[in-house]
């Protein structure tokens, strides 16, 4: 998906996850018209086909378009933080142990990359853990013969007095994770303020939106989003998420002032 389309999806998130499908008349009169007057309708049609946006019949107008749950997840980076933090945990750690020979470095690197992208933490380079069930990984392994001397999956509980907090601290670098959320918080506070009375001010907001999305993805894609009971003291993810919701709502209201003399006079995008 190209950057312009990703930007459109992100804009939908700003505007309460929906916008009015532009007509030929208002294409040049609204923020979304300014940003996407070249190809917006084609983009929306393509996103509808991919089930990332949908028309909203209950609105009484086929011109209203909004993010689908799938589209919202795409904008958020593939996972809903609130859903991940609130999920239950059964107290068991899932462990992936592997010892891939040196002459199969490419396979070993692919496995490590897969585990990292799935939010696993590592106690050692060949010992990775997760609080979540390994259903997907087990299904993948069923397709071929497994050499238990090279790769094996366990479910376990600590048995020598180790605290879950110690396991979390050993498996994930939360100083680095918090550093990314601090950067996001700084970017959020840099949002250009005021009504968008010129194309220059709108371009400034659009540049900020791109920087904000990049900072968000850099943070959330490197965060395991652990269940709430496992989150360490001082974790900034939830604080950054709440602040992001507030700022994006403000940005959504701000976009409705594009090209008009006062605040709130453009009703093309619903509140």
């Amino acid at each position: 998906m190209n950057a312009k389309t990703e930007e459109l999806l992100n804009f939908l998130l700003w505007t309460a996850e929906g916008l009015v499908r532009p007509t030929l008349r208002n294409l040049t009169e609204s923020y979304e018209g300014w940003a996407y007057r070249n190809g917006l309708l084609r983009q929306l049609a393509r996103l509808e086909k991919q089930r990332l946006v949908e028309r909203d019949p209950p609105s009484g107008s086929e011109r209203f378009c909004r993010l689908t749950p799938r589209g919202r997840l795409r904008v958020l980076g593939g996972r809903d933080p609130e859903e991940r933090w609130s999920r239950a945990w059964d107290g068991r750690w899932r462990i992936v142990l592997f010892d891939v020979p040196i002459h199969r470095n490419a396979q070993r690197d692919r496995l490590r990359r897969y585990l990292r992208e799935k939010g696993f933490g590592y106690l050692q380079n060949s010992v990775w853990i997760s609080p979540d069930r390994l259903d997907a990984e087990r299904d993948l392994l069923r397709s071929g013969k497994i050499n238990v001397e090279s790769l094996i999956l366990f479910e376990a509980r600590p048995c020598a007095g180790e605290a879950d907090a110690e396991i979390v601290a050993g498996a994930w670098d939360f100083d680095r994770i918090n550093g990314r959320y601090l950067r996001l918080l700084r970017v959020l506070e840099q949002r250009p303020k005021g009504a968008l009375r010129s194309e220059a001010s709108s371009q400034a907001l659009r540049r900020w939106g791109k920087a904000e999305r990049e900072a968000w993805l850099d943070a959330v894609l490197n965060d395991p989003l652990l269940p709430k009971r496992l989150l360490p003291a001082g974790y900034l993810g939830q604080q950054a998420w709440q602040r992001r919701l507030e700022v994006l709502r403000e940005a959504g209201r701000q976009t409705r002032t594009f090209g008009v003399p006062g605040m709130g006079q453009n009703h093309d995008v619903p509140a």
Side-chain angles (χ1 to χ4, degrees):
M1 186 175 292
N2 63 42
K4 190 173 181 181
T5 303
E6 292 281 4
E7 189 179 359
L8 173 57
L9 286 174
N10 202 44
F11 173 74
L12 283 165
L13 187 70
W14 291 15
T15 55
E17 302 178 14
L19 83 160
V20 172
R21 183 187 294 275
T23 64
L24 292 176
R25 179 178 180 181
N26 69 24
L27 265 173
T28 58
E29 298 174 348
S30 64
Y31 173 84
E32 68 272 18
W34 163 78
Y36 304 109
R37 64 173 63 97
N38 294 316
L40 174 60
L41 298 180
R42 290 194 301 275
Q43 282 183 301
L44 287 174
R46 185 163 57 249
L47 293 172
E48 283 184 74
K49 187 174 181 179
Q50 297 173 22
R51 292 183 293 176
L52 298 176
V53 302
E54 63 184 358
R55 300 185 188 191
D56 187 16
S59 71
S61 171
E62 291 188 353
R63 294 175 56 245
F64 188 82
C65 224
R66 67 179 179 185
L67 287 173
T68 63
R70 179 178 176 179
R72 183 173 183 273
L73 277 182
R74 175 65 181 257
V75 177
L76 293 179
R79 298 174 297 168
D80 183 327
E82 291 182 331
E83 183 275 327
R84 299 301 292 167
W85 290 320
S86 64
R87 71 191 187 278
W89 182 51
D90 61 7
R92 294 184 179 182
W93 289 101
R94 279 71 184 185
I95 305 172
V96 177
L97 298 175
F98 61 90
D99 184 14
V100 179
I102 293 177
H103 67 271
R104 296 169 64 187
N105 272 342
Q107 279 188 304
R108 181 170 52 192
D109 289 344
R110 281 198 300 272
L111 178 56
R112 286 175 179 165
R113 187 163 54 249
Y114 171 87
L115 295 170
R116 189 175 294 111
E117 289 173 353
K118 292 296 183 180
F120 284 74
Y122 63 92
L123 296 172
Q124 300 176 19
N125 280 341
S126 58
V127 181
W128 294 67
I129 67 169
S130 170
D132 299 313
R133 293 171 58 90
L134 302 181
D135 295 335
E137 290 72 25
R138 187 171 59 245
D139 291 342
L140 285 173
L141 295 177
R142 281 175 180 163
S143 60
K145 180 175 175 57
I146 303 302
N147 181 351
V148 295
E149 295 181 3
S150 297
L151 176 65
I152 191 168
L153 311 181
F154 284 102
E155 288 189 359
R157 298 178 188 270
C159 63
E162 302 91 340
D164 291 322
E166 293 173 324
I167 294 173
V168 168
W172 288 277
D173 186 347
F174 273 93
D175 287 339
R176 180 172 294 183
I177 291 169
N178 279 341
R180 290 186 169 98
Y181 281 118
L182 279 172
R183 175 174 173 264
L184 171 63
L185 286 166
R186 288 194 293 269
V187 171
L188 288 171
E189 300 312 313
Q190 292 167 2
R191 177 179 63 87
K193 304 298 193 297
L196 307 182
R197 295 195 175 94
S198 68
E199 196 154 303
S201 61
S202 295
Q203 288 173 344
L205 184 64
R206 188 179 182 187
R207 286 193 297 271
W208 170 83
K210 180 180 179 182
E212 189 281 329
R213 174 169 168 75
E214 289 174 351
W216 164 252
L217 291 178
D218 181 54
V220 77
L221 294 180
N222 288 283
D223 184 350
L225 301 176
L226 297 174
K228 184 176 180 180
R229 63 181 284 191
L230 290 174
L231 293 175
Y235 171 64
L236 294 177
Q238 292 171 305
Q239 175 186 334
W241 168 250
Q242 291 302 320
R243 183 56 183 152
R244 185 177 195 240
L245 293 179
E246 295 168 0
V247 172
L248 292 190
R249 290 191 193 103
E250 294 168 3
R253 289 192 291 268
Q254 193 176 4
T255 62
R256 297 197 290 276
T257 69
F258 180 79
V260 296
M263 298 291 286
Q265 296 183 27
N266 186 336
H267 302 292
D268 286 338
V269 182

